[in-house]
Amino acid sequence: MNTGALILLAIAPGTALLTGFLTVVLLVWAFWPKNGLIAVLNRARMNSQRVLLEDALKFLYDCEYKREACGLHSIAGNLHVSSDTATKLLDRLRTMGLISLDEQNFHLTDTGRSYALRIIRVHRIWERYLADETGIGQMEWHGEADRREHMMSPEAADALAAQMGNPVFDPHGDPIPTAEGQMPDHKGQPLSTLQEGSIARIIHIEDEPHTIYEQLAALGLYPGMQVYVLDVTDGTITFAADGEECVLTAMFASAITVEPFEGNAPVTARHPTLASLEPGEEAEVVGISPNCRGQQRRRLMDMGIVPGTRVKAEFRSASGDPVGYRILGTTIGIRRKQAEQVFIKKLETTAHEQSA
Amino acid sequence: MEKKTQNNHEDILSLANKLRWDQGGAFHDTVIESIYAEAARIARKTVQQTGTPNAYNLDLRIDRILTSRWLGFPIMFLMLALVFWITVSGANYPSGLLAGLLIDTLHPILKNGATSIGMPWWLSGVLVDGAYLSMAWVIAVMLPPMAIFFPLFTLLEDLGYLPRVAFNMDNLFRKAGAHGKQALTMSMGFGCNAAGVIAARVIDSPRERLIAIITNNFSLCNGRWPTQILIATIFIGGAAPAYLAGVVSAGAVVGIAVLGIFLSLVVSWGLSKSVLRGEASAFSLELPPYRPPQILQTLYTSLIDRTIFVLWRAIVFALPAGIVIWLVANVRIGDLSLAEHFIHWVDPVAMFFGLNGVIFLAYIIAIPANEIVIPTVLMLTVLSTGMAGVGSGTGVMFELDSIAGTENILRSGGWTLLTGVNLMLFSLLHNPCSTTIYTIYKETNSLKWTLVSTILPIVMGLIICFFTTQLWRIVVG
């Protein structure tokens, strides 16, 4: 007999249950994703000095790109560190020859700029990857990319970019620097500067600070939408984005970058979606929402969901959700969530057409 | 010169990049969309529809019935119940026949033959009692149900009915973060988990496929049904009044199977919310037209691709396992065999979880197939209790014809109602058989996911057995 282990059997069931319960709780806590012990330890190991240095370079580049001045306090605020720490950090960057100081403002040196661009490139490639190739929600792209950017080598980033067909924009509309460190000139203007009656396309939504981005995303705004400014008053702007009316304060509107263009006023009425098609009804596809990306978008297109295709809703599943649609001679089940991403133009029933 | 072309090359690349930046992000999609739209336009202009629209109308009418709110699910349950009933009742006779031939007749002949050519006892033990017997066992119990279940299943698939099942079930699986087609791999798992894992190929989005693979083991496979029925009859049926025994034990087995379905949904949900959160997902489900099945081709593909394929893998693993089973029972250190040493050593730990050392050892060495767990348990129980006159010799797996005889052996091995309940739970929640583990590795190509699918159910099984046991000790005393 294994005498040592015999003690186990002498434990009273109540004690055993309690210990067992605690063990399970402990295990769950250890392995819990994001906030679990293992995840937290991993993150703590990551939060090194190098990460701070790289984040500071990124911020400096951002200021330079937007042609804004950048002082000690804005840097400390952006990195969430005290001004003391920030001073030490900037001193170190200066001795490394990555930044220079004139008057009260910091500037990147050429070496510093190319270092910053390398980090930004990895960050934006990661965001693109998370948006297109994974199921991670848009609220988490930025934070996830912030972690990964410090871990990935430029070569690995190039390989990832090549695998996605070398994208040139991240999902927020920011350009991705090339491997050689090229960047296009800053384009567009803040939405808050538009006049009543102007037409523009959203080209970028700032993903920092997180709270503002969260609300803009919740309104369903994304790069690629057409906006038509309906009204500008003191401090608020009212506009139609792909037909949906939105009201934003100036602070929120300035987080959106738009590119004005000439032409007809964009559609003021919102298109119905495929999900609104009742069994028996027929429609023509107008387009797929830009919010549907990567694999999902390719899958929909592969099935023939492109502008001009005719779609007929045929029958609902017994449990109500996927609906069978007749598309190009095949019947395909599409979930409501995907169907809501497809814009359509309803047609009169075919009976009408046959009688004509 | 070379330098110049190099420069030229880079100039072109940077110009291309600049142009792509100027075009904006949607440029790529616009190109793809216009290609698709142009192709569709050409097709509309040049392709003439000559097919009979009536065929489609008939399909549509069938679809409306099979996916209707009221008839959809009853029809589905009837169909699946029918398939299982045909499998279970149809497999009994050929299984008995094979067992009679391979185990009762051929095994003694081989054994005698080995002795007559002067083979040493240990060699004939390893080869005939170990390797051959475990292989024979696996064939006898696995082949008939699979040879019936798979063609039936393939037939339903060929008819076009299975995609409608997935279509109807999708809502439930969507809520668990999985794909409707997981209903199919789950049903297939009731036949054989390895085949269920392979069937997950029909799920084309990577995340949902992985979920289907990892949770397939929660479908109570063919190899575990007999164990469940036997133990339920002995312990649960035995604890109920005689006139209720049949109903109660059948209810217990069904309860275990339903618990498996429930856990597979819970685990799917947990996985899709945690570790598999980031995996890509793209859903679509084609509902092909109904067509008459090609019986011969169905028989051929389901026999070759599924039955023989799975059986072959099982045999490959059963041979070495048979040798190990014989060796642990026959190699002695001091007075006791390896098996007895292990059983005694692990007994207190196992009993803490409400099981016993024999069960632990049996689940380790009978990993090639769930079918040989009970024969191994019986052999080990006889060995460790030193019972005389039962079984067929040290290290030789056996099964008894009479349930009362089996009950006798188990009870003298210290089994109680609690052990029975825990064994039923552990039989549902333990690692997949080695065939399935190997198949998972082949399908996912990832050691990580193979380990997760192997270890997760064991941990769950031990936790559930533990809490059952300790609660039992408080309530029953």
Side-chain angles (χ1 to χ4, degrees):
Chain A
M1 269 282 175
N2 179 1
T3 42
L6 267 179
I7 301 167
L8 282 178
L9 295 178
I11 300 174
T15 325
L17 268 182
L18 201 67
T19 335
F21 183 71
L22 286 178
T23 317
V24 170
V25 170
L26 219 67
L27 277 177
V28 169
W29 177 56
F31 286 100
W32 199 260
K34 271 179 93 180
N35 300 321
L37 182 65
I38 292 174
V40 168
L41 285 180
N42 261 337
R43 215 172 310 144
R45 209 188 39 180
M46 272 292 309
N47 252 339
S48 62
Q49 187 76 6
R50 184 170 62 90
V51 172
L52 275 178
L53 290 177
E54 290 182 353
D55 283 345
L57 286 175
K58 248 173 52 183
F59 180 66
L60 280 165
Y61 182 82
D62 210 37
C63 294
E64 185 181 293
Y65 191 65
K66 291 182 187 152
R67 304 202 174 84
E68 288 165 3
C70 180
L72 177 68
H73 290 290
S74 52
I75 295 177
N78 180 269
L79 299 180
H80 306 292
V81 294
S82 67
S83 347
D84 269 5
T85 321
T87 314
K88 276 187 209 135
L89 209 69
L90 291 165
D91 276 348
R92 240 189 108 193
L93 284 172
R94 218 145 42 125
T95 51
M96 287 162 86
L98 297 173
I99 60 170
S100 61
L101 176 67
D102 83 279
E103 289 156 21
Q104 281 305 301
N105 294 327
F106 295 92
H107 296 281
L108 289 168
T109 63
D110 284 345
T111 347
R113 190 172 303 113
S114 77
Y115 194 150
L117 279 168
R118 270 208 305 278
I119 306 295
I120 291 171
R121 175 171 161 81
V122 179
H123 180 95
R124 292 185 180 166
I125 287 175
W126 259 108
E127 285 192 327
R128 185 86 249 173
Y129 173 78
L130 294 172
D132 284 6
E133 312 287 329
T134 74
I136 291 180
Q138 59 173 327
M139 285 306 134
E140 292 165 59
W141 296 337
H142 185 72
E144 186 72 21
D146 257 348
R147 276 194 289 285
R148 307 268 193 166
E149 67 190 4
H150 306 292
M151 294 190 268
M152 196 181 217
S153 70
E155 292 75 31
D158 289 347
L160 188 63
Q163 187 196 319
M164 294 186 290
N166 289 311
V168 287
F169 289 98
D170 80 359
H172 307 294
D174 281 316
I176 299 175
T178 63
E180 291 77 34
Q182 285 175 313
M183 270 284 256
D185 295 330
H186 186 61
K187 277 207 305 189
Q189 59 190 87
L191 175 63
S192 47
T193 60
L194 286 186
Q195 298 303 311
E196 198 177 312
S198 31
I199 304 162
R201 184 187 294 110
I202 297 180
I203 57 171
H204 171 235
I205 294 178
E206 182 56 47
D207 53 9
E208 255 179 354
H210 193 71
T211 43
I212 290 187
Y213 178 65
E214 209 165 16
Q215 299 202 34
L216 293 177
L219 283 172
L221 299 173
Y222 43 79
M225 275 183 139
Q226 292 186 353
V227 294
Y228 175 63
V229 181
L230 299 166
D231 188 27
V232 182
T233 59
D234 213 26
T236 60
I237 178 166
T238 311
F239 59 95
D242 277 2
E244 189 104 315
E245 202 176 296
C246 291
V247 185
L248 287 180
T249 62
M251 186 176 72
F252 280 83
S254 62
I256 299 174
T257 312
V258 294
E259 190 182 40
F261 63 90
E262 309 296 319
N264 300 326
V267 273
T268 41
R270 199 172 172 77
H271 286 295
T273 66
L274 191 56
S276 68
L277 208 60
E278 289 296 319
E281 289 182 322
E282 214 176 344
E284 197 180 286
V285 175
V286 175
I288 304 176
S289 154
N291 224 5
C292 171
R293 304 179 176 81
Q295 277 195 40
Q296 285 194 23
R297 193 182 186 86
R298 281 198 296 277
R299 176 63 42 76
L300 288 176
M301 287 177 154
D302 283 345
M303 295 186 304
I305 298 190
V306 289
T309 309
R310 283 199 170 189
V311 186
K312 188 176 180 199
E314 295 285 20
F315 47 86
R316 247 175 235 292
S317 124
S319 54
D321 186 351
V323 172
Y325 296 97
R326 192 78 180 162
I327 303 164
L328 299 177
T330 39
T331 312
I332 294 166
I334 299 179
R335 286 179 177 170
R336 168 166 269 279
K337 210 177 144 221
Q338 261 92 47
E340 279 169 353
Q341 310 265 32
V342 178
F343 297 126
I344 52 164
K345 192 165 70 193
K346 283 197 188 175
L347 299 174
E348 295 303 308
T349 42
T350 39
H352 182 78
E353 204 168 279
Q354 279 161 1
S355 67
Chain B
M1 182 69 195
E2 196 169 59
K3 177 106 184 186
K4 200 174 168 197
T5 39
Q6 181 89 27
N7 276 340
N8 237 332
H9 185 69
E10 273 171 17
D11 284 347
I12 292 170
L13 276 183
S14 78
L15 179 65
N17 241 318
K18 194 178 160 319
L19 290 174
R20 287 175 72 196
W21 271 321
D22 288 342
Q23 286 293 331
F27 164 66
H28 226 85
D29 273 353
T30 321
V31 171
I32 298 176
E33 259 170 25
S34 62
I35 291 173
Y36 273 102
E38 182 64 10
R41 197 186 59 81
I42 294 172
R44 261 205 303 277
K45 237 168 68 180
T46 52
V47 179
Q48 296 229 321
Q49 295 264 348
T50 50
T52 46
N54 287 339
Y56 171 63
N57 284 339
L58 179 64
D59 271 11
L60 195 59
R61 237 171 296 155
I62 300 175
D63 268 335
R64 294 234 164 95
I65 294 170
L66 291 182
T67 64
S68 76
R69 191 158 273 263
W70 305 112
L71 288 174
F73 289 116
I75 292 176
M76 184 185 82
F77 287 124
L78 267 178
M79 288 275 222
L80 293 181
L82 190 70
V83 168
F84 287 122
W85 180 75
I86 295 176
T87 305
V88 171
S89 58
N92 260 337
Y93 179 70
S95 260
L97 215 63
L98 275 174
L101 180 72
L102 293 174
I103 300 168
D104 300 341
T105 316
L106 211 54
H107 178 241
I109 292 177
L110 281 174
K111 190 77 181 160
N112 291 336
T115 324
S116 70
I117 60 165
M119 205 183 262
W121 70 274
W122 54 267
L123 190 60
S124 80
V126 164
L127 293 182
V128 181
D129 294 336
Y132 169 76
L133 193 61
S134 110
M135 180 198 76
W137 216 293
V138 165
I139 294 178
V141 288
M142 261 178 119
L143 182 58
M146 286 204 296
I148 298 173
F149 182 78
F150 289 149
L152 284 177
F153 211 74
T154 317
L155 218 61
L156 284 181
E157 191 179 348
D158 240 30
L159 265 168
Y161 181 61
L162 290 190
R164 272 74 185 179
V165 170
F167 183 68
N168 282 339
M169 295 288 282
D170 185 62
N171 208 5
L172 185 64
F173 284 92
R174 181 180 53 83
K175 283 177 185 150
H179 195 293
K181 284 183 192 164
Q182 194 173 320
L184 308 186
T185 65
M186 208 174 78
S187 315
M188 183 70 110
F190 282 115
C192 169
N193 294 139
V197 168
I198 295 175
R201 284 178 191 170
V202 298
I203 299 174
D204 38 20
S205 57
R207 187 183 82 117
E208 280 81 355
R209 175 160 173 242
L210 211 46
I211 292 178
I213 288 177
I214 295 172
T215 57
N216 198 269
N217 187 40
F218 296 109
S219 293
L220 200 63
C221 71
N222 253 328
R224 290 182 272 175
W225 284 99
T227 308
Q228 297 283 351
I229 294 169
L230 179 74
I231 301 298
T233 312
I234 293 178
F235 291 99
I236 297 186
Y243 65 98
L244 280 177
V247 180
V248 170
S249 50
V253 175
V254 173
I256 291 282
V258 171
L259 177 70
I261 297 176
F262 172 73
L263 286 177
S264 104
L265 285 169
V266 169
V267 171
S268 299
W269 178 83
L271 286 172
S272 67
K273 285 277 172 285
S274 62
V275 279
L276 283 174
R277 197 173 47 99
E279 298 284 324
S281 142
F283 176 86
S284 73
L285 184 65
E286 199 180 327
L287 301 168
Y290 295 99
R291 50 174 180 230
Q294 293 158 302
I295 309 268
L296 282 180
Q297 201 189 332
T298 303
L299 269 177
Y300 176 82
T301 49
S302 60
L303 281 181
I304 300 300
D305 289 358
R306 287 175 176 161
T307 314
I308 300 298
F309 181 76
V310 171
L311 192 67
W312 173 245
R313 278 192 181 171
I315 289 174
V316 168
F317 285 108
L319 287 173
I323 295 175
V324 170
I325 291 173
W326 190 86
L327 284 177
V328 293
N330 282 282
V331 174
R332 288 166 172 275
I333 300 177
D335 284 343
L336 297 172
S337 63
L338 283 180
E340 283 162 288
H341 277 295
F342 180 84
I343 291 168
H344 290 164
W345 180 74
V346 87
D347 231 5
V349 182
M351 279 158 97
F352 191 52
F353 289 98
L355 298 162
N356 61 41
V358 168
I359 298 175
F360 268 29
L361 182 60
Y363 270 103
I364 295 172
I365 57 183
I367 194 174
N370 282 296
E371 284 87 344
I372 59 174
V373 166
I374 287 296
T376 311
V377 164
L378 291 179
M379 181 272 283
L380 289 173
T381 308
V382 169
L383 176 75
S384 65
T385 53
M387 246 183 264
V390 195
S392 330
T394 314
V396 186
M397 298 181 290
F398 68 92
E399 234 168 14
L400 294 177
D401 289 334
S402 85
I403 289 180
T406 311
E407 176 171 6
N408 246 335
I409 296 179
L410 292 179
R411 290 227 189 258
S412 54
W415 287 51
T416 60
L417 174 57
L418 177 62
T419 323
V421 170
N422 278 327
L423 183 92
M424 287 174 75
L425 288 170
F426 197 66
S427 159
L428 174 71
L429 298 166
H430 69 93
N431 56 289
C433 65
S434 55
T435 313
T436 307
I437 296 177
Y438 179 67
T439 308
I440 292 173
Y441 180 70
K442 277 282 179 194
E443 293 294 308
T444 60
N445 231 333
S446 142
L447 199 61
K448 180 178 150 202
W449 294 121
T450 312
L451 281 174
V452 168
S453 356
T454 310
I455 293 170
L456 184 74
I458 304 183
V459 172
M460 287 175 63
L462 287 178
I463 290 174
I464 289 183
C465 283
F466 172 82
F467 281 103
T468 311
T469 308
Q470 303 301 335
L471 279 174
W472 188 286
R473 282 172 66 189
I474 289 180
V475 176
V476 183

